[in-house]
Amino acid sequence: MKNGSRVTRTGWAFAAPGLSVLAIVMGLPVLYAMVISVSSMTFVRPSLQPFAGLSNFAAIAGEEIFWHSLFLTLRYSVVTVIGEFIIGLGIALMLQRTLRLRPFYFAILTLPMAMSPVAVALIWRMLLQPNLGIVNHLLVQVGLPPVDWLGSSSLALSTLAGIDIWQQTSFVVLLMAAGLASLPKDPYEAAQVDGANALQQFWYITLPMLRPISAIAIVIQLINEFRTYDLVYVLTKGGPGTSTELLSFFAYRRAFQGLAVNEGNAAALVLMLIILGITVVFFAMLERQRG
C-alpha cells in the first residue's frame, strides 16, 4: 500500500505542472464564460451586475431560432460523423490491402486535414460559385442545369456537410488505418480455417475489435462537428435565412451582432454541456461493453 501510494503521489507530482497550465489555459476562460452567462453584461452595458441567474438561458430557450439552431446542429453533426466514419473506414480497409504506394496515398489523404477550415471554405466557395465556379461549369458541360449550392435553403446545409466530410474524413482514415494495423492475425487465421468468408470476418472479427478506436473516432468527430463555425461564417453566414445557422454561429451572432454577450455565452455553455454529455455517454457505453 505504501509503495502504491508513493507511486500515486509521484505520478500526481509529475502531472501537476501540466495540469496547472491546462487549468489556467482552459479552466479560467470557461469559468469567466460561466460568470458572464449568469450576469447582465452586454456590449452596450459592460457590467456583470446585477446578477441575472438563469434568465439568460431562459431568454434564449424561449426563442424559436435557438431550438432551430440546436436541431440543425444535431442533424448536421450526425450526418457528417456517419458519413466520415463510413467513408473513412472504407478507405482504410482499401488501403490495408494496398501494398504499393501506400505512403503516397496516405500523404494525399492528409492534405485536406492539414488545411485550415477557412482555407477549405474559401476554396470551395470559388468552386461552387453559381456563375463562374468549376462545379457548375462541369454540370453544364454534361447537359445539366447549374445549381446554387450555397444560395438555396434546401441545399446549403447539405453542401456544408459535404465539404466538412471532404475535409474531416482523412482524420478518420488515419485512426482506422492505425487500428486495423494493430489487430492480431490469429483470429483471422482461425476464421479462415473454419471457412469464414471475408464479409463474415469483417462483421464478426474486425468490427468488434475496432470498437474502442471507433468510439474514439466518433467522439472526437462529434466534438469537432458540434463546434463547426468557420465553414458557416465563410460560406453562408447562417443563410439563406437561417437554414445553416448552427448553434455555434447562433452564439456568435447573439454575442457580437446582437451585443448580448451574456446570452451568447449562455448559448455557448449549452453547446459545451451537450458535447460533455455526449462524451460521457459514449465512454460509459464503451466501458460497459468492455466489462
Side-chain angles (χ1 to χ4, degrees):
M1 291 297 293
K2 291 182 178 180
N3 290 335
S5 60
R6 183 181 302 173
V7 170
T8 302
R9 289 197 302 269
T10 303
W12 279 109
F14 277 107
L19 291 176
S20 300
V21 173
L22 192 64
I24 294 172
V25 173
M26 298 185 62
L28 289 180
V30 171
L31 182 61
Y32 186 56
M34 294 174 63
V35 171
I36 292 178
S37 68
V38 294
S39 73
S40 300
M41 184 176 183
T42 66
F43 284 115
V44 177
R45 185 180 179 278
S47 174
L48 294 176
Q49 298 296 329
F51 177 72
L54 298 178
S55 61
N56 295 320
F57 294 90
I60 61 173
E63 297 185 17
E64 183 179 352
I65 184 61
F66 169 78
W67 296 105
H68 170 76
S69 299
L70 180 58
F71 172 74
L72 280 184
T73 303
L74 292 171
R75 189 174 73 175
Y76 177 88
S77 301
V78 170
V79 169
T80 51
V81 169
I82 291 176
E84 290 159 9
F85 181 77
I86 293 175
I87 297 173
L89 179 59
I91 294 175
L93 289 169
M94 288 189 292
L95 289 175
Q96 187 188 28
R97 298 176 177 272
T98 303
L99 298 178
R100 299 178 58 186
L101 301 177
R102 185 184 296 178
F104 173 76
Y105 295 141
F106 275 113
I108 294 298
L109 286 169
T110 55
L111 287 178
M113 184 181 66
M115 301 169 63
S116 70
V118 173
V120 169
L122 291 173
I123 291 171
W124 278 100
R125 189 170 69 177
M126 291 187 291
L127 293 176
L128 298 175
Q129 209 278 337
N131 300 318
L132 303 175
I134 190 173
V135 174
N136 277 347
H137 175 73
L138 294 175
L139 290 178
V140 172
Q141 293 300 311
V142 297
L144 297 175
V147 178
D148 192 0
W149 299 97
L150 298 171
S152 170
S153 58
S154 59
L155 286 177
L157 189 67
S158 299
T159 302
L160 286 179
I163 295 172
D164 203 333
I165 291 172
W166 176 84
Q167 183 186 18
Q168 298 293 334
T169 296
S170 55
F171 177 74
V172 180
V173 172
L174 294 179
L175 282 180
M176 303 312 295
L180 288 169
S182 67
L183 297 182
K185 305 298 182 183
D186 295 343
Y188 294 96
E189 295 173 355
Q192 289 177 353
V193 172
D194 292 337
N197 57 36
L199 182 59
Q200 290 173 327
Q201 293 179 34
F202 170 75
W203 188 258
Y204 293 106
I205 299 176
T206 304
L207 278 183
M209 288 196 296
L210 282 178
R211 189 175 296 156
I213 192 68
S214 299
I216 293 172
I218 290 173
V219 169
I220 292 175
Q221 290 307 102
L222 270 176
I223 293 173
N224 286 333
E225 301 308 336
F226 267 94
R227 295 187 300 109
T228 298
Y229 169 80
D230 314 70
L231 293 180
V232 177
Y233 182 82
V234 176
L235 291 173
T236 64
K237 296 291 193 300
T242 57
S243 60
T244 60
E245 186 164 322
L246 303 181
L247 191 55
S248 58
F249 193 80
F250 168 84
Y252 156 79
R253 192 172 59 82
R254 179 54 57 92
F256 294 100
Q257 295 182 357
L259 304 181
V261 66
N262 50 355
E263 295 180 4
N265 274 272
L269 285 176
V270 170
L271 182 59
M272 184 188 72
L273 290 175
I274 293 173
I275 293 173
L276 287 176
I278 292 174
T279 304
V280 170
V281 169
F282 260 93
F283 280 102
M285 292 172 59
L286 181 62
E287 287 296 325
R288 183 180 302 174
Q289 290 173 355
R290 289 176 59 183

